[in-house]
């Protein structure tokens, strides 16, 4: 049941979330506003969503607005999610990049929807476990997210038994994690490989280098077409002409940004810039 709020208050919340994060919430998602924001209101000592909206209107740039945006961010993730992109990374993408970047021995990676860290750590595990020669390379690995709370968890690299049970191969768990007080801690050298940063995908991507590999999986589905187009355009300016972009299984550049072409890598798909576009960059 939705809390007693007016249509105008619900519209205010939907508009705020869309403008600040790009996430589009239709009227059928009112229950999400209720279930995720009531705890925020109560934690702030407010009676309900109406009081929350009133406070945010009075202080539009206050800490409460940030807490609301973080609460509305979907952080569903697990290790080696969907499996096939990571198989493609190991079997095709990394062998190709190892050859093409051999002269400089540098590799730039960006994971743009890091959430609580399972995806970037999955990428790091492929690199560290399958390509030991990279130990002598200069690797810049940046992982970003809008929500500071989940980024703090990602930096800590500490996961419950239930979290590691979702996708983590037992052999990698034993090799790269330590059991500490009933939780699983990512090995320090693996944590240091990744630079976790706060970034809103609607903003400028200042500080993100020219990338050889971008994972932007399962985040575009929450945006409208114009926002998707803007994000894909900004990624394209950062992506090396022969670099790889991985999107989620339900995401595509088709009819959004025609400057990309899809590559089918066994059972996984990824994207690269079209040759003519890459040559012009």
């Amino acid at each position: 049941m939705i809390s007693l709020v007016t249509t105008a208050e619900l519209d205010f919340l939907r508009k705020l979330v869309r403008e600040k994060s790009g996430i589009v919430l239709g009227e059928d998602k009112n229950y999400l506003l209720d279930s995720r924001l009531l705890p925020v209101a109560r934690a702030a000592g407010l009676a309900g969503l109406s009081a929350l909206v009133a406070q945010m209107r009075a202080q539009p740039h206050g800490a409460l607005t940030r807490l609301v945006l973080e609460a509305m961010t979907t952080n569903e993730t697990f290790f080696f999610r969907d499996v096939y992109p990571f198989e493609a990374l190991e079997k095709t993408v990394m062998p190709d990049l190892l050859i093409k970047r051999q002269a400089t021995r540098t590799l730039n990676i960006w994971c743009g929807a890091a959430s609580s860290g399972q995806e970037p750590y999955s990428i790091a595990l492929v690199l560290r476990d399958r390509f030991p020669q990279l130990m002598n390379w200069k690797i810049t690995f940046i992982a970003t997210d809008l929500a500071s709370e989940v980024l703090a968890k990602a930096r800590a690299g500490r996961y419950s038994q239930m979290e590691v049970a979702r996708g983590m191969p037992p052999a990698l768990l034993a090799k790269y994690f330590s059991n500490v007080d009933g939780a699983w801690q990512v090995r320090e050298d693996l944590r240091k490989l990744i630079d976790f940063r706060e970034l809103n995908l609607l903003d400028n991507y200042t500080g993100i280098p020219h990338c050889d590999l971008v994972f932007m999986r399962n985040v575009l589905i929450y945006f409208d077409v114009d926002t998707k187009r803007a994000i894909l355009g900004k990624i394209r300016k950062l992506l090396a002409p022969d670099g790889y972009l991985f999107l989620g299984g339900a995401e595509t550049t088709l009819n959004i940004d025609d400057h990309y072409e899809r590559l089918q890598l066994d059972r996984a798909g990824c994207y690269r810039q079209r040759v003519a576009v890459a040559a012009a960059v």
Side-chain angles (χ1 to χ4, degrees):
M1 180 179 294
I2 305 300
S3 300
L4 295 177
V5 290
T6 66
T7 299
E9 288 166 340
L10 289 172
D11 288 344
F12 170 85
L13 290 170
R14 282 196 296 268
K15 182 179 180 182
L16 175 102
V17 171
R18 181 169 184 168
E19 288 180 349
K20 299 293 186 182
S21 72
I23 297 172
V24 178
L25 298 169
E27 293 185 5
D28 60 327
K29 300 295 184 182
N30 283 344
Y31 71 93
L32 284 177
L33 293 169
D34 191 66
S35 63
R36 295 187 184 183
L37 297 188
L38 268 179
V40 174
R42 289 166 180 161
L46 301 170
L49 293 191
S50 290
L52 180 73
V53 170
Q55 181 81 1
M56 292 170 66
R57 281 175 168 158
Q59 300 178 348
H61 303 295
L64 200 55
T65 296
R66 178 176 188 81
L67 292 175
V68 164
L69 294 177
E70 292 197 5
M72 293 310 302
T73 302
T74 300
N75 292 304
E76 168 66 12
T77 186
F78 49 92
F79 291 103
F80 295 97
R81 184 177 182 178
D82 303 327
V83 179
Y84 301 132
F86 300 97
E87 290 183 354
L89 181 64
E90 178 184 347
K91 296 176 181 178
T92 305
V93 173
M94 282 309 304
D96 179 56
L97 289 175
L98 281 171
I99 294 171
K100 292 178 176 177
R101 303 295 184 266
Q102 180 62 39
T104 61
R105 295 196 174 196
T106 62
L107 194 65
N108 294 333
I109 303 168
W110 176 30
C111 182
S115 188
S116 48
Q118 285 93 324
E119 179 160 281
Y121 282 127
S122 297
I123 298 168
L125 284 167
V126 172
L127 269 57
R128 182 57 53 87
D129 197 68
R130 300 294 188 259
F131 303 96
Q133 61 268 50
L134 289 173
M135 293 291 288
N136 297 319
W137 285 42
K138 179 182 178 181
I139 298 177
T140 300
F141 189 163
I142 297 171
T144 64
D145 201 275
L146 169 68
S148 59
E149 185 175 344
V150 294
L151 282 174
K153 178 178 176 63
R155 290 189 189 100
R158 190 177 175 91
Y159 300 96
S160 68
Q161 180 63 46
M162 181 178 296
E163 287 171 320
V164 297
R166 297 186 71 192
M168 177 58 64
L172 293 180
L173 179 65
K175 189 173 181 180
Y176 293 99
F177 289 72
S178 300
N179 192 293
V180 180
D181 298 328
W184 291 94
Q185 177 74 59
V186 179
R187 213 169 68 184
E188 185 178 6
D189 63 306
L190 204 65
R191 281 185 282 130
K192 287 184 175 180
L193 180 63
I194 306 172
D195 179 7
F196 288 100
R197 301 181 188 178
E198 192 173 321
L199 177 70
N200 188 329
L201 293 175
L202 300 188
D203 295 340
N204 294 326
Y205 299 166
T206 304
I208 304 297
H210 214 223
C211 292
D212 306 295
L213 175 63
V214 175
F215 270 62
M216 191 65 64
R217 302 179 65 233
N218 305 304
V219 63
L220 293 185
I221 54 174
Y222 299 107
F223 302 139
D224 60 27
V225 172
D226 288 341
T227 304
K228 292 176 184 179
R229 184 175 292 115
I231 291 172
L232 287 169
K234 287 188 285 187
I235 293 172
R236 185 160 32 83
K237 293 179 180 178
L238 293 171
L239 189 64
D242 57 353
Y244 294 86
L245 167 65
F246 280 90
L247 301 178
E251 298 166 331
T252 181
T253 65
L254 186 64
N255 296 324
I256 300 174
D257 190 328
D258 294 334
H259 298 102
Y260 289 95
E261 61 181 355
R262 179 179 168 86
L263 298 178
Q264 189 64 37
L265 306 177
D266 196 6
R267 289 178 287 186
C270 70
Y271 297 85
R272 299 177 80 169
Q273 296 189 56
R274 293 190 184 277
V275 175
V277 175
V281 173

